Amino acid sequence: MGAPVVLATDIDKAIRRQINDGWALQGLNQYASDLVSVFRRLPDIRDEWCKQPGRFRPELPPASIVVVFFDEAWSVLVRTVHSVLARSPPELVKEIILVDDFSSLAHLKTQLDDYFRPFEKVRILRASERLGLIRARILGAKSATAEIVTFLDAHCEVIVGWLEAQLDVVAADPQTIAIPSIDWIHEETMALNAQNSQLYFGSFDWTVNFQWKSRAEKKVKPENPVAPFDTPVMAGGLFTINRTFFEHLGWYDEGFQTYGAENMELSFKTWMCGGFMKIVPCSRVAHIQKRGHPYLASSPGGFNAVKRNTVRLAEVWLDEYAEYYYESFGGRKNRGDFGDVSSRKKLRARLNCRPFRWYMETVFPEQFDPSKAVGRGQFRIGGGCLDWPTKLSVIGCHGLGGHQLWFFTADGEITREDHCMDFDSKKLEMIRCHKQKGNQMWVFEEKAGHFKHAYYERCLEWDGNELRMSECIDEDMRQKWILEHYEVKNLKLA
């Protein structure tokens, strides 16, 4: 029932070695996972609204369940499959396709074949070379025999009712992608931690990394918070899609390597090319969030694949907004080799997809729009630049974006990565932006170069050792800031 594995504090050294080895290879406590039954049950954590009779269509189409794995721990992978078999109506599971992305571990060869041979719905599809997670998913989708395909990661456990709720959404509209509400299986104890996922929707920052945002920020409030709701982007590999629609969208970009940005690409092109995406709170899937990225670290291209994929995404789908992503790592000149994207641009033209600005204005109006920033880029003072890795400071300007990429908004926020500079008369710090102005509201006085706090009327000063708030003094070079890109006309947008 999702209870945690609790290990003694004085465990044997040999066991400690096994635990450490599991973390290194799997990014989770494999020793704890191996102690949990592969047939374990999980409690029904759905909202009561989801359980009402007649909530979903009486006749739903079956799905092909696609699970990609590479060198996955036995207990984790097998428990994923058994959870699907145990908590899905049999008539709705046409097949479970396990796609082996050229694994090297012995237990994933003959042993896996022998184990699942008695299960007629389980099919193992083996890649003849390492494809990477993205292309392995495409291989699984193309081999699916059902019209609807449901993707799961190889380290999940599903909750009763999970499949019906997603299929109901896709059956109603074949151009809608259904995404489950994601719960957390603790990577150390294997405990089920139910999340209030219906309170959040998918977002991204301008390094084009996925983030969760509160639904309280949405401009349109839901009548029923448990009903399926629109999300601008999806988190990743847990979703249900009509196979013909997936093919229509060009699957994933086959020029992508291994892992990374595929969720953004599918999200943007779905919305821009006539589709929809909805999070389905009645569909609950528990997922192990591994520490690090063992799949990525062991793959060709490694962590560089994420940047390469994201540049391909930007070149094809972001239009003029691509420049704001490039500024996060020093500009267009630092894009690196991202391959040929001409076929993906032709796909977009053939599908007559809308501009990314339409997506920003229509699908995701809550997103911060860099084109409307009053200031952005490096915020210089003296010989250095404002920097925030963990503590606000000023260090030498490096021109590579990162910790030195800032925005000054028309609402008066000095912001980076959803955090805003906050001053409460005593403490200057970076905290989550709250959109209430107050302690996070600043005025930039262009002539003097002052960042003045709107309420406390003190100025941001660098004294050579620390940032502080001081009495504003004209011509004081310790308070004179220069914004790399300054658009005074955007002040009118506030």
Side-chain angles (χ1 to χ4, degrees):
M1 298 303 286
V5 174
V6 181
L7 300 176
T9 55
D10 57 344
I11 56 177
D12 183 84
K13 287 183 180 178
I15 294 177
R16 176 58 63 191
R17 247 191 325 270
Q18 289 182 52
I19 293 172
N20 292 340
D21 289 346
W23 280 110
L25 181 62
Q26 297 291 339
L28 55 86
N29 187 345
Q30 182 182 340
Y31 184 84
S33 176
D34 292 347
L35 293 175
V36 176
S37 170
V38 296
F39 300 101
R40 82 158 166 183
R41 293 172 297 148
L42 291 179
D44 186 351
I45 55 177
R46 295 175 297 163
D47 188 273
E48 291 302 317
W49 182 82
C50 305
K51 305 175 188 179
Q52 294 174 3
R55 175 58 58 212
F56 308 117
R57 286 167 176 73
E59 294 186 10
L60 291 170
S64 294
I65 315 293
V66 175
V67 180
V68 174
F69 67 92
F70 170 76
D71 281 356
E72 198 77 41
W74 174 271
S75 58
V76 173
L77 174 61
V78 173
R79 193 160 47 244
T80 297
V81 177
H82 280 303
S83 78
V84 172
L85 291 170
R87 291 187 283 277
S88 309
E91 68 276 12
L92 297 184
V93 179
K94 186 170 187 183
E95 60 187 346
I96 300 174
I97 305 171
L98 302 182
V99 183
D100 175 16
D101 187 18
F102 209 58
S103 294
S104 61
L105 298 179
H107 66 257
L108 298 174
K109 304 296 184 181
T110 304
Q111 182 180 340
L112 193 70
D113 290 337
D114 291 344
Y115 184 89
F116 280 119
R117 188 167 287 114
F119 297 85
E120 61 180 20
K121 289 189 176 182
V122 179
R123 174 159 63 95
I124 300 174
L125 179 63
R126 299 193 185 275
S128 58
E129 61 179 352
R130 188 74 189 277
L131 299 176
L133 180 63
I134 297 167
R135 281 179 274 186
R137 279 201 199 127
I138 298 174
L139 176 65
K142 287 183 175 180
S143 70
T145 59
E147 182 60 15
I148 293 181
V149 181
T150 296
F151 290 92
L152 288 176
D153 286 343
H155 33 273
C156 291
E157 294 175 64
V158 301
I159 307 297
V160 64
W162 77 286
L163 186 56
E164 302 96 298
Q166 290 188 65
L167 291 176
D168 189 66
V169 170
V170 180
D173 181 359
Q175 290 185 285
T176 296
I177 298 176
I179 301 152
S181 181
I182 303 173
D183 295 287
W184 177 35
I185 300 172
H186 198 290
E187 62 273 20
E188 183 157 4
T189 67
M190 298 299 116
L192 172 65
N193 290 280
Q195 308 289 295
N196 289 323
S197 299
Q198 70 266 23
L199 301 179
Y200 302 94
F201 66 92
S203 174
F204 63 93
D205 61 21
W206 287 103
T207 63
V208 195
N209 280 314
F210 178 85
Q211 297 177 332
W212 290 109
K213 273 196 174 181
S214 170
R215 288 180 75 188
E217 296 184 30
K218 296 289 282 183
K219 295 185 176 181
V220 178
K221 305 304 178 187
E223 292 183 10
N224 177 6
V226 191
F229 61 92
D230 290 349
T231 182
V233 294
M234 66 166 66
L238 314 181
F239 63 96
T240 294
I241 189 170
N242 181 284
R243 187 183 180 280
T244 301
F245 183 54
F246 198 11
E247 183 178 14
H248 170 76
L249 292 175
W251 311 103
Y252 291 119
D253 179 353
E254 294 198 49
F256 279 2
Q257 294 178 345
T258 309
Y259 165 92
E262 79 284 356
N263 60 321
M264 296 294 177
E265 189 222 18
L266 184 54
S267 299
F268 295 155
K269 69 184 180 183
T270 295
W271 283 108
M272 292 164 63
C273 307
F276 306 87
M277 290 197 313
K278 293 184 181 293
I279 291 177
V280 186
C282 289
S283 176
R284 307 291 290 261
V285 175
H287 174 267
I288 301 174
Q289 186 61 46
K290 295 186 177 185
R291 293 184 189 172
H293 295 280
Y295 198 117
L296 196 59
S298 61
S299 66
F303 289 91
N304 292 329
V306 177
K307 178 187 172 185
R308 184 182 185 277
N309 293 352
T310 310
V311 170
R312 289 181 66 87
L313 163 76
E315 288 288 312
V316 177
W317 297 102
L318 297 193
D319 301 335
E320 71 271 23
Y321 285 84
E323 297 306 320
Y324 304 122
Y325 164 61
Y326 298 149
E327 287 175 1
S328 73
F329 55 79
R332 177 176 286 270
K333 65 183 183 298
N334 293 328
R335 289 175 298 169
D337 177 17
F338 55 87
D340 182 5
V341 295
S342 58
S343 65
R344 303 307 288 181
K345 290 183 175 181
K346 288 177 182 176
L347 168 72
R348 177 177 171 176
R350 187 175 77 249
L351 297 180
N352 196 27
C353 303
R354 296 180 175 95
F356 192 75
R357 183 169 290 278
W358 172 89
Y359 169 90
M360 288 287 292
E361 293 173 349
T362 308
V363 177
F364 201 1
E366 300 85 4
Q367 173 70 319
F368 168 65
D369 187 339
S371 71
K372 298 177 181 178
V374 177
R376 74 173 199 278
Q378 294 176 327
F379 290 2
R380 302 187 185 98
I381 190 165
C385 283
L386 185 63
D387 195 277
W388 178 61
T390 55
K391 179 183 177 182
L392 278 166
S393 185
V394 172
I395 66 171
C397 302
H398 52 57
L400 297 175
H403 296 156
Q404 295 183 0
L405 177 63
W406 293 87
F407 297 99
F408 179 54
T409 73
D411 289 325
E413 299 164 326
I414 302 173
T415 182
R416 200 171 80 72
E417 294 182 0
D418 273 352
H419 282 69
C420 285
M421 194 177 292
D422 188 284
F423 179 61
D424 64 0
S425 82
K426 295 179 181 178
K427 189 175 183 180
L428 178 69
E429 60 182 338
M430 292 291 291
I431 65 173
R432 284 278 180 184
C433 300
H434 52 54
K435 306 298 180 185
Q436 302 301 312
K437 299 191 175 181
N439 292 345
Q440 296 181 359
M441 187 174 182
W442 302 78
V443 175
F444 182 67
E445 297 179 338
E446 184 180 4
K447 185 175 180 181
H450 287 168
F451 267 128
K452 180 191 286 188
H453 196 277
Y455 182 75
Y456 294 106
E457 295 191 340
R458 298 176 72 81
C459 285
L460 184 63
E461 177 178 295
W462 170 248
D463 68 0
N465 293 303
E466 65 175 353
L467 280 166
R468 61 188 185 187
M469 299 299 294
S470 301
E471 180 184 351
C472 300
I473 303 173
D474 288 345
E475 308 303 327
D476 189 338
M477 298 305 293
R478 296 176 302 175
Q479 297 178 1
K480 187 172 182 60
W481 295 86
I482 299 172
L483 311 191
E484 184 177 4
H485 301 285
Y486 183 67
E487 299 288 346
V488 68
K489 69 179 187 300
N490 284 346
L491 283 171
K492 298 176 183 178
L493 299 173

